[in-house]
Amino acid sequence: MNKILKIAVLSLATVGLGVKAETETFDELFNTEKTDQYVFSTHAGSQYTFKYKYDDVISVCSTSQNDGYGVFTYMVFADRSTSFDVGFEFIDGKYTAGHQSQCNRYQEHYPVDVSDIETWKADQIAVRTKYGVNSYPTAETLDKKISDRVTYENNYELEVEEQAVGDIYRISNATTELLGCRIETTNYTYPLYLLILPDNMQTFQVLASSDGSSNIKLKNCQTFPLTGEITLYALKQFLTD
């Protein structure tokens, strides 16, 4: 069995400090590309790369994968792409790779407050419910520390026919504020712009590259108050800087 080389890098940053959402289906208004992913000669899963079709809007999406074990929430923009991986997992006697996603569309300068957290929390529950998991994943203390109340870890190694192909990562926000984080990996074609909700743990997959290398970077991780003063556009500027 070929082995994959894993590297984790954390980059921290600090900062100071509308129109209501429209619900949409995942593929309704996105330019989406799905590509098969291989680690050495093993089919590991798929990568989804997408961006918004129209200008001056931002979507906030929630996605759950394979069996509903976890969920992650992230931003989608019109002027740049984002990516996430969906690796095969052995579930109920067969290898499965799929996702359920739900999105809300906003004007770029929409101000974020507590009511939006409730909307995104409901989205997380909705996509997990499609897998039979009717709950919201609350914060836990994980192995690696970003700050006093923000932690993350490599939770589980993905394997296909005894070949290691990637990992499942978890990131937990035990604060009362919104946590933004840009995720870059060796395999992602474009970054993933996570929004980890207050008292929330999010789970996402990272497949290794075709040569078995696996490098993850958590960049610009920062919490933001939910007072209506921070806009989606400001979050975008911070996470993409």
Side-chain angles (χ1 to χ4, degrees):
M1 181 182 72
N2 293 303
K3 295 185 180 295
I4 59 176
L5 176 64
K6 304 171 190 176
I7 303 172
V9 178
L10 173 65
S11 175
L12 297 178
T14 58
V15 333
L17 94 177
V19 176
K20 195 59 183 172
E22 298 178 51
T23 302
E24 60 200 4
T25 61
F26 181 74
D27 292 318
E28 183 180 26
L29 292 171
F30 297 98
N31 290 314
T32 306
E33 180 181 356
K34 177 184 176 183
T35 56
D36 289 338
Q37 302 296 298
Y38 288 84
V39 178
F40 304 110
S41 60
T42 300
H43 188 196
S46 301
Q47 183 172 113
Y48 291 84
T49 298
F50 47 94
K51 66 179 179 179
Y52 214 88
K53 289 183 178 179
Y54 303 107
D55 294 334
D56 302 321
V57 290
I58 293 173
S59 271
V60 177
C61 298
S62 291
T63 292
S64 189
Q65 299 167 314
N66 293 348
D67 61 356
Y69 168 75
V71 65
F72 56 98
T73 297
Y74 53 98
M75 303 176 76
V76 184
F77 311 122
D79 59 347
R80 65 191 66 226
S81 295
T82 191
S83 299
F84 63 76
D85 292 332
V86 182
F88 285 112
E89 293 184 78
F90 196 73
I91 300 169
D92 296 331
K94 62 181 179 180
Y95 284 100
T96 299
H99 74 88
Q100 297 285 345
S101 298
Q102 184 164 307
C103 303
N104 290 282
R105 182 170 74 254
Y106 303 84
Q107 296 298 315
E108 277 195 332
H109 294 282
Y110 178 82
V112 179
D113 62 24
V114 174
S115 66
D116 300 301
I117 301 303
E118 293 305 309
T119 297
W120 302 336
K121 177 179 177 178
D123 288 344
Q124 289 192 4
I125 295 171
V127 293
R128 296 185 84 200
T129 297
K130 293 176 182 179
Y131 290 112
V133 183
N134 186 17
S135 63
Y136 170 77
T138 55
E140 298 181 13
T141 300
L142 305 178
D143 289 344
K144 299 177 182 179
K145 188 174 181 180
I146 296 176
S147 66
D148 285 343
R149 306 196 70 194
V150 177
T151 53
Y152 77 103
E153 68 182 14
N154 174 336
N155 175 244
Y156 181 78
E157 185 173 75
L158 296 169
E159 290 187 354
V160 177
E161 303 293 353
E162 298 186 352
Q163 171 61 58
V165 298
D167 295 277
I168 295 176
Y169 282 86
R170 303 194 299 180
I171 183 167
S172 179
N173 175 20
T175 77
T176 59
E177 299 184 324
L178 178 65
L179 172 66
C181 239
R182 183 170 84 238
I183 309 298
E184 298 178 1
T185 80
T186 309
N187 195 53
Y188 285 179
T189 306
Y190 299 97
L192 179 63
Y193 304 99
L194 285 183
L195 295 179
I196 302 94
L197 313 184
D199 186 25
N200 185 212
M201 181 176 66
Q202 298 194 9
T203 304
F204 57 97
Q205 295 184 352
V206 176
L207 294 177
S209 296
S210 59
D211 64 358
S213 60
S214 183
N215 182 333
I216 181 171
K217 297 179 181 179
L218 287 71
K219 291 188 171 182
N220 292 24
C221 295
Q222 173 67 37
T223 56
F224 299 88
L226 294 165
T227 56
E229 298 175 7
I230 189 77
T231 65
L232 289 175
Y233 182 79
L235 285 170
K236 171 188 174 182
Q237 293 297 102
F238 178 78
L239 290 176
T240 59
D241 184 26

